[in-house]
Amino acid sequence: MIENKTSSTIIEIENAVVSYREDVALRGISLRVKSGEFVGIVGPNGAGKTTLLTLVNGLGKLVQGQVHVLGCRLTSGNGHILRKKVGYVAQMMSIDPRMPMSVHDVVMIGRYGRLGLFKGPGKHDHKIVDEVLELVGMTHLAHRPIGHLSGGEQQRVAIARCLAQEPQLFLLDEPTASLDWKAKMDILELVKLIHKSQKLTTLFVTHDLSALPAACSRLILMKDGLIWNDGSAAELLTDDYLSKLYDMPVPVVRRHRQEVVPV
Ligand code: ATP
């Protein structure tokens, strides 16, 4: 059922419990995210970060509580309503070099949810694909087979595919995992640019504090299936908070505003 929520509140979660058979992954979390926010979700392995994104994506199995995303109250059967509206970028996956799809073809997949039944992509869809390829700096590789790209380039394509959807919500789950330092910094810069230029509400999950984009102004710290803390990045990125979150000393080096690298 579609219900009206406060227009600036894009995500509203109340007391959500999610479990995978006997494993309880989220143990009663509540959260509100407003339009245009850039929220980093940080915490140790198994904290429930991915499960939280899955819930927002309309794929989570809610045992208890309520979830509203983009004005839609999610139930067990209506998550597909969000499919066109929510863009999701996951960790890099290995792609078979023989995969017979070009970069352009892969980005076009992002348009499929918007094509009519039995319709192929039209001029407008090709224009959008060209635009997002330019935005992520991949125009020159548009006709290269997807399996011939480096990890960093593949993640740019994944981001382009997601933007081709014209999403209202942008979810990223460890998008820089297994990238080298330079590729990681390039992706973080790109995510920051996208947020700045498109004002897209963004949730960015990571357990690697050096992979937190500088644009991330709000942080949600998760631990043991709960939101352990929620506040400004400036307030929470301290030795004290992070050491308690990870149950070990986590000294941080503040290089410039909001960029923090564990040492
Ligand atoms: P990581 O940083 O390691 O990716 P996370 O914070 O994203 O961890 P989740 O992946 O959400 O954590 O997992 C939360 C808990 O739920 C963990 O205990 C995990 O083992 C469990 N879990 C996650 N997915 C499943 C699944 N498909 N089936 C069973 N248990 C699962």
Side-chain angles (χ1 to χ4, degrees):
M1 294 302 287
I2 307 289
E3 286 179 10
N4 281 331
K5 302 301 293 178
T6 317
S7 61
S8 64
T9 302
I10 281 204
I11 300 168
E12 185 168 2
I13 300 175
E14 282 166 33
N15 195 26
V17 176
V18 174
S19 68
Y20 301 98
R21 297 176 194 256
E22 68 277 10
D23 290 327
V24 183
L26 296 182
R27 299 192 289 130
I29 64 157
S30 297
L31 168 68
R32 276 181 185 210
V33 177
K34 288 188 177 166
S35 176
E37 277 195 282
F38 193 128
V39 183
I41 301 171
V42 174
N45 290 132
K49 306 178 298 292
T50 296
T51 304
L52 174 57
L53 283 198
T54 306
L55 195 60
V56 171
N57 212 2
L59 293 170
K61 287 215 170 99
L62 205 56
V63 175
Q64 187 184 305
Q66 287 195 3
V67 179
H68 290 86
V69 179
L70 297 167
C72 172
R73 180 175 170 189
L74 296 180
T75 63
S76 55
N78 71 352
H80 63 280
I81 294 173
L82 293 179
R83 219 61 81 233
K84 278 185 268 185
K85 300 178 181 177
V86 180
Y88 183 85
V89 174
Q91 291 185 20
M92 188 188 80
M93 288 191 296
S94 70
I95 298 178
D96 187 329
R98 294 162 299 182
M99 175 116 128
M101 288 185 93
S102 71
V103 166
H104 185 281
D105 295 338
V106 171
V107 177
M108 185 60 83
I109 292 171
R111 298 299 301 162
Y112 288 172
R114 292 183 177 271
L115 301 180
L117 202 58
F118 307 124
K119 282 197 179 157
K123 242 185 181 174
H124 178 65
D125 302 298
H126 284 284
K127 181 170 167 279
I128 299 265
V129 169
D130 290 345
E131 282 172 6
V132 295
L133 280 172
E134 192 175 342
L135 179 65
V136 304
M138 292 294 290
T139 305
H140 62 300
L141 297 178
H143 300 291
R144 185 173 286 187
I146 184 70
H148 291 191
L149 300 185
S150 70
E153 289 164 346
Q154 283 181 16
Q155 282 306 70
R156 283 176 179 270
V157 174
I159 290 172
R161 177 192 40 70
C162 173
L163 295 179
Q165 268 180 259
E166 299 181 276
Q168 294 173 41
L169 187 54
F170 191 23
L171 309 180
L172 299 113
D173 191 355
E174 310 260 11
T176 61
S178 40
L179 298 184
D180 67 32
W181 183 258
K182 168 81 171 67
K184 175 160 101 174
M185 289 303 143
D186 287 348
I187 291 292
L188 296 181
E189 199 52 41
L190 177 61
V191 171
K192 179 175 139 191
L193 173 82
I194 290 165
H195 181 254
K196 198 172 169 197
S197 62
Q198 313 218 347
K199 308 273 180 277
L200 201 50
T201 312
T202 303
L203 302 193
F204 189 103
V205 160
T206 185
H207 64 263
D208 172 5
L209 293 164
S210 69
L212 208 51
C216 166
S217 52
R218 176 178 169 194
L219 267 193
I220 289 173
L221 306 184
M222 291 191 70
K223 190 175 184 176
D224 299 331
L226 291 169
I227 291 181
W228 183 70
N229 226 311
D230 180 356
S232 74
E235 177 197 353
L236 296 181
L237 286 175
T238 65
D239 294 12
D240 193 36
Y241 274 120
L242 298 179
S243 300
K244 282 181 185 151
L245 179 70
Y246 286 91
D247 289 323
M248 60 177 288
V250 184
V252 294
V253 174
R254 197 171 294 269
R255 289 187 166 168
H256 54 76
R257 211 171 79 81
Q258 290 170 12
E259 184 187 351
V260 174
V261 182
V263 291

